[in-house]
Amino acid sequence: MNFVYYKVLFLMLIPSFILMYFILTKQNKLENYFSKTALNKLSISNQYFSNKTRNIILFLSLIFMIIALARPVTNEKINNSETSLTPIIIAIDVSKSMKAVDLFPNRLEFAKQKLLNILDNSKTEAIGVILFAKSSFLLSPVTEDFNSLKILIKNLDTGINFDNGTNIYSTLETTNKLLKNYSNKNLLLLTDGGDKENFDEEINFANKNGIKIYTLALATSNGSAIKEENGNYLTTKDGKIVNVKLNSKIKDLSLKTDGGYIEYSLDNKDIEQILDDINSKSNKEKFEERKYKTYTELFYYPLAIAIFLLLIAFSSMPSLKRTKLPIFILFFTFNFTNSQLIASSIFDFKTIKEANKAYENQDYNKALKEFEKLDSNEFRDYNLANSLYKENKFKEAIDIYKNIKTSSNDLEFKKLHNLGNAYAKNSDFQNAVDSYEKALKLKNDSTTKENLQLVKKLLDNKNQNKQDEQKNNKENQKQEENKEDSSQKDENKTKKQNKENQKSSKNEQLEQKEEISNFEEEKWLKEIENQKTNSMLKKMESSKDDSISNPW
């Protein structure tokens, strides 16, 4: 017999024996500090056992409990477990042609979603992911950890400008390196086929190195234009809009390497067919050998003995006649108080739910009333201030934002960002600038930077208008001192000029204020936690460059 957690015996059993010895042998020393009357009141009387016998039974129960915690076992054996999987490299085409919009929202985003669906449907595969355009980039080596792989894919920024072109040869070289220790080499291309007409080099390389190429074609035969980041469509040198179609020649690459070819479908049938074909043509590879122990558990025997001894020790309890009423009162008070607390918390949750629902539905007046029902705290005050802001009650929102105290840097950043928005709406541009600058010290956020630059321009215009007005006033005073006779005309003329300047400056401010309002509708008060970050990509060297000269 062995103990799985044998250290428990040393950490708990030995101190328990020492404690038992002191209690049983040094009990009489308590009489030096307490009277016999006090000791009798503190002791639990038992009509069957003496206190000494009772203590011995309790300690025996404790000993058996400790033995049970040490987990005694027998018939211990070591077993081996092997994991056999099919290795697959999935390559996503990230060239410019994948920005075409014949698939929603575009071919590249559609390919990312297909890859996530493959991970959800894979049960006996180990998968690595690479990206390719003119060069290949390693996103993940072959792995069984699909959860981490999904995070990498979801956070992949498809707005990265990769080199133009579609170099499948480089993809094959990278695949050969990643799968050099495996007998089965499977490559799945998620691509529109690029522009190449002849894939003889790629076919020879794949056959020479035993790589089976499967293609999931992600394009339509009619093709589509390529929408760039600025909203314009990609054009040729002579000004014609580029229309990129499915390159059907990519089919030869798959069929001549003993792979498979299939065009996309809106459901998962295309994925299921490819995975079934790969598994039918490939042998499983041994990925990991694990060793684990098996044994027969014995802990329940000492545990049963411990419980039995514990029941014997507590078989005779002191009389509760005198304590029935106090216990009843405590029980009633406890339950009544807890029920009130539970009811209160339930109503609070209901109020929070109603307030959040009203805010999401843009019923800010109702959200404001619901948040006001809650007790004040940093999160309630933050949401209340947001509701006031949406109701155009900027002064009230500013007062609440300023009084929010929090230890959370994220909430402090949001508070300062929104405080700057409220100041800007209230035409207090200097305080808006101060709030944005404090927020940027906590977090380097692009939206806050844009708001800061916009408010600074408004502040500069406001200061310039004040300077112009002061300058005009000085000129008017000087003219009045030097020319008393013509002062009335000059004054009228100056007033007229001042009115025109003020009118034009007000119109300019109104236009800018309208501009900032439209700008805020999309960017201000937006959640920033879900912003995507670029994944770490490793560029893989290739022996051949893409020979296609088209910029897509």
Side-chain angles (χ1 to χ4, degrees):
M1 183 180 71
N2 296 321
F3 291 94
V4 177
Y5 308 122
Y6 63 90
K7 292 182 180 179
V8 173
L9 299 176
F10 299 100
L11 296 175
M12 298 181 68
L13 196 57
I14 295 176
S16 298
F17 276 117
I18 296 172
L19 181 62
M20 179 180 177
Y21 170 77
F22 280 115
I23 290 178
L24 294 178
T25 58
K26 305 294 181 180
Q27 186 177 5
N28 59 341
K29 288 194 173 183
L30 295 174
E31 296 177 0
N32 296 331
Y33 305 99
F34 300 96
S35 65
K36 290 185 178 180
T37 304
L39 285 174
N40 290 332
K41 290 182 178 180
L42 291 172
S43 302
I44 300 175
S45 62
N46 191 306
Q47 58 181 338
Y48 301 111
F49 304 113
S50 65
N51 288 337
K52 189 172 183 179
T53 306
R54 180 187 182 86
N55 289 336
I56 292 174
I57 295 174
L58 285 173
F59 272 103
L60 287 174
S61 175
L62 177 62
I63 289 170
F64 281 105
M65 285 185 181
I66 293 171
I67 293 173
L69 286 174
R71 197 175 168 188
V73 297
T74 187
N75 298 328
E76 186 174 346
K77 296 179 181 179
I78 298 177
N79 300 295
N80 296 325
S81 174
E82 294 182 356
T83 303
S84 297
L85 300 171
T86 303
I88 304 175
I89 297 297
I90 300 179
I92 300 181
D93 187 351
V94 291
S95 60
K96 265 193 177 180
S97 62
M98 292 295 286
K99 294 294 182 72
V101 294
D102 49 352
L103 301 182
F104 181 81
N106 58 47
R107 295 175 184 175
L108 183 53
E109 289 294 335
F110 192 83
K112 280 179 59 179
Q113 188 57 50
K114 281 293 180 183
L115 178 52
L116 292 173
N117 292 340
I118 290 173
L119 296 178
D120 291 334
N121 285 271
S122 296
K123 297 178 181 178
T124 59
E125 291 82 23
I127 293 176
V129 179
I130 59 179
L131 313 178
F132 71 96
K134 187 175 182 179
S135 303
S136 295
F137 301 86
L138 176 62
L139 181 66
S140 169
V142 179
T143 179
E144 304 169 63
D145 186 4
F146 288 175
N147 290 328
S148 300
L149 190 53
K150 286 179 182 178
I151 294 174
L152 289 176
I153 296 167
K154 289 178 181 178
N155 287 328
L156 177 63
D157 186 2
T158 55
I160 301 175
N161 290 322
F162 294 93
D163 296 334
N164 299 325
T166 306
N167 191 352
I168 296 179
Y169 194 93
S170 172
T171 306
L172 292 172
E173 289 180 319
T174 303
T175 301
N176 193 45
K177 292 177 183 178
L178 294 175
L179 299 179
K180 62 181 180 180
N181 295 325
Y182 301 103
S183 59
N184 297 291
K185 298 179 182 179
N186 300 296
L187 171 62
L188 173 56
L189 299 174
L190 305 182
T191 180
D192 56 11
D195 292 336
K196 199 169 183 180
E197 295 291 330
N198 190 301
F199 292 97
D200 289 342
E201 289 183 341
E202 288 81 357
I203 293 171
N204 292 333
F205 183 89
N207 289 330
K208 181 180 178 181
N209 293 279
I211 302 175
K212 295 183 178 66
I213 302 175
Y214 298 83
T215 303
L216 176 56
L218 301 179
T220 60
S221 56
N222 293 328
S224 171
I226 301 173
K227 194 171 185 179
E228 298 186 291
E229 296 296 330
N230 57 11
N232 298 327
Y233 289 97
L234 186 67
T235 58
T236 58
K237 294 181 179 180
D238 55 0
K240 294 181 180 179
I241 295 177
V242 175
N243 184 61
V244 284
K245 303 178 181 180
L246 173 64
N247 182 11
S248 59
K249 297 293 183 180
I250 195 72
K251 189 174 184 179
D252 296 337
L253 179 63
S254 298
L255 298 181
K256 292 181 180 180
T257 57
D258 196 25
Y261 173 88
I262 190 171
E263 295 185 3
Y264 76 93
S265 66
L266 298 179
D267 53 20
N268 289 332
K269 290 183 179 179
D270 49 358
I271 294 172
E272 294 171 358
Q273 291 183 26
I274 286 178
L275 293 179
D276 290 343
D277 194 20
I278 292 175
N279 288 321
S280 64
K281 294 179 180 179
S282 303
N283 296 322
K284 297 289 188 296
E285 301 275 353
K286 186 173 78 170
F287 263 73
E288 186 177 359
E289 183 176 350
R290 299 176 182 176
K291 294 183 178 181
Y292 63 95
K293 293 181 179 180
T294 59
Y295 27 65
T296 303
E297 297 281 0
L298 300 176
F299 73 91
Y300 37 80
Y301 294 113
L303 182 60
I305 296 173
I307 294 173
F308 178 72
L309 293 174
L310 196 64
L311 290 174
I312 292 175
F314 287 100
S315 60
S316 178
M317 299 298 294
S319 176
L320 297 177
K321 291 181 180 179
R322 296 181 181 179
T323 58
K324 284 183 178 178
L325 181 59
I327 290 174
F328 176 78
I329 293 173
L330 288 173
F331 179 80
F332 177 81
T333 304
F334 177 79
N335 281 279
F336 179 78
T337 305
N338 277 352
S339 65
Q340 294 296 322
L341 291 173
I342 292 170
S344 175
S345 64
I346 289 173
F347 286 125
D348 282 349
F349 280 122
K350 184 178 180 181
T351 303
I352 293 171
K353 182 179 179 181
E354 292 294 330
N356 290 332
K357 184 178 179 181
Y359 192 91
E360 291 174 359
N361 294 332
Q362 299 184 358
D363 189 355
Y364 303 117
N365 188 28
K366 182 180 178 182
L368 182 61
K369 293 178 181 178
E370 294 294 335
F371 282 124
E372 287 176 343
K373 295 178 183 178
L374 301 172
D375 294 333
S376 178
N377 60 65
E378 56 191 33
F379 299 104
R380 171 261 189 189
D381 292 344
Y382 175 74
N383 290 324
L384 178 61
N386 288 346
S387 300
L388 287 167
Y389 176 87
K390 289 293 187 178
E391 282 290 290
N392 296 327
K393 298 179 180 180
F394 306 118
K395 290 183 179 180
E396 293 88 338
I398 290 171
D399 292 337
I400 295 178
Y401 281 133
K402 289 167 63 177
N403 292 324
I404 295 176
K405 305 295 182 184
T406 178
S407 59
S408 170
N409 287 337
D410 185 57
L411 184 60
E412 181 70 15
F413 166 77
K414 292 180 181 179
K415 180 199 78 172
L416 291 171
H417 179 90
N418 292 354
L419 180 60
N421 296 346
Y423 274 129
K425 279 286 198 176
N426 207 37
S427 299
D428 190 351
F429 301 127
Q430 184 58 55
N431 281 327
V433 170
D434 295 339
S435 298
Y436 287 138
E437 289 177 344
K438 290 178 182 178
L440 288 172
K441 290 179 180 179
L442 296 175
K443 189 171 184 179
N444 187 17
D445 180 65
S446 60
T447 303
T448 308
K449 285 183 179 179
E450 292 175 3
N451 293 352
L452 176 61
Q453 295 300 323
L454 185 59
V455 172
K456 279 185 175 180
K457 289 180 181 179
L458 293 175
L459 182 61
D460 292 340
N461 290 336
K462 185 177 180 180
N463 293 335
Q464 185 64 40
N465 290 334
K466 285 184 179 180
Q467 292 175 2
D468 292 342
E469 187 175 353
Q470 291 174 358
K471 184 178 180 181
N472 290 333
N473 289 335
K474 288 181 180 180
E475 290 178 356
N476 292 338
Q477 291 177 0
K478 188 175 180 181
Q479 290 175 0
E480 287 178 358
E481 292 175 357
N482 296 334
K483 296 181 181 180
E484 294 181 357
D485 296 337
S486 60
S487 62
Q488 191 66 33
K489 289 183 180 181
D490 293 338
E491 183 179 355
N492 293 336
K493 185 177 181 181
T494 304
K495 285 183 178 180
K496 186 176 180 181
Q497 183 178 358
N498 288 339
K499 286 182 179 180
E500 291 177 354
N501 291 336
Q502 290 176 359
K503 186 176 180 181
S504 62
S505 65
K506 284 182 179 180
N507 291 334
E508 184 178 353
Q509 287 180 357
L510 287 173
E511 291 176 0
Q512 292 170 340
K513 198 168 184 179
E514 183 178 356
E515 179 185 351
I516 198 173
S517 299
N518 294 331
F519 180 75
E520 289 167 346
E521 287 298 325
E522 294 182 359
K523 292 190 175 180
W524 291 8
L525 295 176
K526 182 180 285 186
E527 292 293 333
I528 60 175
E529 301 91 58
N530 295 327
Q531 290 182 351
K532 291 186 176 181
T533 57
N534 294 338
S535 302
M536 298 299 293
L537 299 174
K538 180 181 179 182
K539 186 175 182 180
M540 308 299 290
E541 298 297 331
S542 175
S543 61
K544 292 192 177 183
D545 292 331
D546 182 20
S547 59
I548 302 299
S549 59
N550 290 334
W552 53 86

